[in-house]
Amino acid sequence: MKPLACAALLCALTLPAHAGKTFTLASPQLGEGVPLSSAQVFQGMGCEGGNRSPALRWDNPPAGTRSFALTVYDPDAPTGSGWWHWLVVNLPANARALPEGASPKAGLPAGTLEIATDFGQPGYGGACPPPGHGMHRYQFTVWALDTDRLPLKADSQAALAGFLLNQHALGKATITATYAR
């Protein structure tokens, strides 16, 4: 065997055990392409739901991850720019889960920041598409980031948060749930 081929084989055999595993997001309340339950539907604007964020768990983040962010986005909202339902940034690198109904008072780690959503305030805002508008997709995404903190405030615009997330993303994992009324 040639020395270069032997060195490549040795490197392949000594990769860390987590190498090659996929960054994943899971939830007991969500399924890919599955309609949201009433617990995750907004309470208001004509919608009658629990307005609770689902429990979320993520595994196998990319090497070099220094923090996480979580977003919930509806690309089908009739706004021309979609609808941001939840933006959570500056989750610590050792975080791997959030409980159902996470908020600054329950379940969000210290130092975590919620950005104002398109409902006009921070915090989870459930699904509430216009009646008869058809099926909407709700993209629950966890972002692995290359920075400890994003330079955002609670009143920062969602578009700025989205720009910074894409600028600092090492990887992301998404579950796309659906809902119509």
Side-chain angles (χ1 to χ4, degrees):
M1 190 177 277
K2 295 185 179 185
L4 189 55
C6 187
L9 179 60
L10 181 58
C11 287
L13 295 175
T14 59
L15 288 174
H18 67 277
K21 290 188 178 180
T22 303
F23 185 33
T24 59
L25 177 62
S27 172
Q29 287 91 23
L30 302 176
E32 186 66 30
V34 175
L36 292 168
S37 74
S38 64
Q40 281 73 53
V41 172
F42 193 68
Q43 177 63 43
M45 297 175 56
C47 290
E48 298 290 328
N51 203 45
R52 283 193 316 271
S53 64
L56 299 165
R57 173 157 188 80
W58 52 96
D59 292 299
N60 305 312
T65 298
R66 294 177 58 191
S67 71
F68 295 99
L70 178 72
T71 59
V72 180
Y73 178 72
D74 171 6
D76 303 311
T79 64
S81 60
W83 191 273
W84 292 96
H85 287 263
W86 201 22
L87 297 108
V88 182
V89 299
N90 303 336
L91 288 157
N94 63 351
R96 293 294 182 276
L98 291 178
E100 183 177 10
S103 72
K105 294 179 182 177
L108 288 180
T112 300
L113 176 66
E114 290 182 302
I115 305 298
T117 68
D118 286 330
F119 288 108
Q121 59 192 16
Y124 177 82
C128 189
H133 195 258
M135 193 63 71
H136 282 226
R137 295 167 290 160
Y138 295 87
Q139 300 166 336
F140 291 76
T141 302
V142 63
W143 303 72
L145 305 174
D146 67 0
T147 183
D148 295 328
R149 303 192 71 68
L150 292 176
L152 296 166
K153 299 177 184 171
D155 63 352
S156 294
Q157 296 294 313
L160 175 60
F163 173 81
L164 290 171
L165 289 171
N166 281 291
Q167 185 179 23
H168 290 281
L170 295 171
K172 60 185 179 177
T174 299
I175 299 172
T176 302
T178 60
Y179 188 75
R181 63 181 184 123

